[in-house]
Structure formats: structure tokens, C-alpha cells
Amino acid sequence: MRVLIAGASGLIGTSLTKRLRGSGHEVVRLVRREERSSDERRWDPPAGEIADGALDGVDAVVNLAGAPLLPGRWSAARKQVLLDSRVEPTEVLAEAVAEHGIPVLVNASAVGYYGDPGPSLVDESSPVGRGFLSELCTAWEGATEAAATAGARVVRVRTGLVLSRKGGLLDVLRPLFRLGLGGKLGDGKQYMPWISLDDEVGAIVFALENESLSGAVNLSGPQPATNAAFTKALGRAVHRPAIWQVPGFAMKIALGQAAEEMALFGQRAMPKALEEAGYEFRHPTLEDALAAAT
């Protein structure tokens, strides 16, 4: 396939590009700066512009674009940046997919869609939750509508916490845990829907190649863990005790709503759609994923 990727320079996009090329697919990367190589095409989402010829011969589009959710508090201005950096580019790509008759759009989203359902299991049929992340994901996914209306197979991948040897969540946690400063967040009962980077990328490739997948697809490991269990497992992985606790109120004081929804909320998200479609996880347990990432 010839695959066009937006957000190709990030953690997931970089690994996805490498995996696709290793499997014999051709990758074209959308960039917002001047083009520097033959596989790059410039685009300007706020202006609704994509370079001429960028979509010629393209079989699928993958959209991973979006400003990082952390660090920092979610001020009104920051929330607008997070929203605009996702919805606007998605609308531009969805309209381009519709205009050029591209058959597949795989679009990023997040398990934050489900809000804070507590210990209840959630899958792709579960309702939207409450909170800023739920609203963000709803708008993000809704921005793909032009492509779906035009008949494209649209896969909205709701990603969990990606565990990687380099980058992502563990870049923040690993140094603290290696110093013996690791510990649970709040009461530790909130679920963490983790997924290894290998499986994140593998599942996206699977979604591109598997015509039975469409609509919402949870990208999370098959055994979600509570924060307390995750903390203990990470401590074991780096051979350090993880005995500390960061009080929830202290996190809220420091980061406000961002701390609440990113660290104290949790989703016991199950990858039902992936498993029913036949995807086999490379790292089906948290221990497997942490061993690969540490």
C-alpha cells in the first residue's frame, strides 16, 4: 500500500513508518515545515491546504496529529490548542479522503473517550464519559465524518498508555522508579489501559490491512491493571521498591484538571474489536510489555 501519515515524527508515527516500510509498504509523510526529502509533502491544516499530488495513488491515510496533553495545566487557552490541533487537521484529512476517494482512514483517538467508569469493564460499545478528554475525543472522532459519509472505511483507534523503551509515559516514570521514588498515584485503584509500542503499531497496521475493522477500536492490552498493580510491576521491572504514594489532592493542586483526568481517572478498557478480528498481541501481559520497554 501507499500510506499517507500525519504525525509521522512522533513516538507512534516514527515506529509505524519503520514497520510499514519493513513490510513493503510505501509511506508518504505530511509535514508542516518545508519538505526536506522525497517522501515528505507539506500541509497547512489551519489553511486547509495539502500539497498538490500528496494524495495521488494513496491507498490509506493514518492521522496521528495532535498537541501533547501533558505537561502543564489545562487552561482555557491550552484546551483550545489541544482541541484545534486534533479536530482541524482531522477535518482537513477527512475531506481530502472523501474528495480523492481514498478507501481507508485510520484516525487517532484515546481511551479518555470513556471518562472515568471506575472498575467497570468498557469496550467499544460503551457510552462516552464525562470530562474534557471525553469531549475532546468525541469532537476528534466526529471530525472524520466526511470520510465515512463518502464511503471510506474509517477506523477510530482509541489508544491507551503506550509503553516504550524510548519516549512516552515511561520516559517520565522510569528515572523516578530507578531512584527508588516510584509509587502509586492517589489511592491506586484507577485502571491504567496500557499497551506496548509494538502492539500499538502492530494494531494500526492490522487495522490498515484488515477490512473487517471499522469504527471505534480500543488499542489497549488485554489485561488492564490498576495503578497500584502497575506501580508494583514497574518497580519489579527496574529492580527497585515502589513504596511511595502521591496524594491525589497534591496532584490536583499542581496540575488541576489535567492531573485528575490523566492520572486519577482510569479506564478498564478491553480490546474487544481487535481480539474479535483476530489480532494477536505480542505483549499480552503488563509484565511482557514492561520487559520490552525497560
Side-chain angles (χ1 to χ4, degrees), residues 78-234:
R78 183 59 185 169
K79 285 182 178 181
Q80 195 61 51
V81 168
L82 296 175
L83 188 67
D84 290 345
S85 69
R86 286 163 171 78
V87 175
E88 195 170 57
T90 300
E91 289 175 340
V92 171
L93 286 174
E95 289 168 4
V97 165
E99 181 181 347
H100 290 80
I102 296 170
V104 183
L105 169 62
V106 175
N107 202 82
S109 184
V111 291
Y113 174 91
Y114 303 109
D116 185 25
S120 300
L121 291 170
V122 292
D123 61 31
E124 294 84 356
S125 66
S126 300
V128 65
R130 295 181 179 180
F132 172 67
L133 283 183
S134 298
E135 295 169 2
L136 177 65
C137 291
T138 299
W140 198 0
E141 294 183 11
T144 64
E145 189 57 33
T149 300
R153 179 170 64 88
V154 177
V155 186
R156 303 175 181 96
V157 288
R158 295 174 179 165
T159 294
L161 301 166
V162 179
L163 306 182
S164 170
R165 189 174 294 276
K166 194 172 184 180
L169 174 69
L170 291 184
D171 258 10
V172 177
L173 297 182
R174 194 185 292 109
L176 294 173
F177 275 70
R178 284 178 173 164
L179 289 171
L181 299 176
K184 64 183 181 180
L185 306 178
D187 63 14
K189 295 179 181 179
Q190 69 275 29
Y191 274 84
M192 298 180 67
W194 58 268
I195 186 170
S196 73
L197 179 60
D198 276 349
D199 278 317
E200 172 76 11
V201 171
I204 292 173
V205 174
F206 184 79
L208 285 169
E209 298 176 341
N210 193 310
E211 294 184 0
S212 69
L213 276 177
S214 64
V217 176
N218 288 343
L219 267 55
S220 56
Q223 298 181 21
T226 63
N227 175 259
F230 182 94
T231 296
K232 290 180 181 179
L234 180 53

Side-chain angles (χ1 to χ4, degrees), residues 249-270:
F249 74 86
M251 297 184 67
K252 291 179 185 179
I253 291 172
L255 291 172
Q257 187 179 5
E260 186 173 45
E261 295 199 28
M262 292 293 294
L264 301 177
F265 281 10
Q267 300 84 25
R268 195 178 178 186
M270 301 301 294

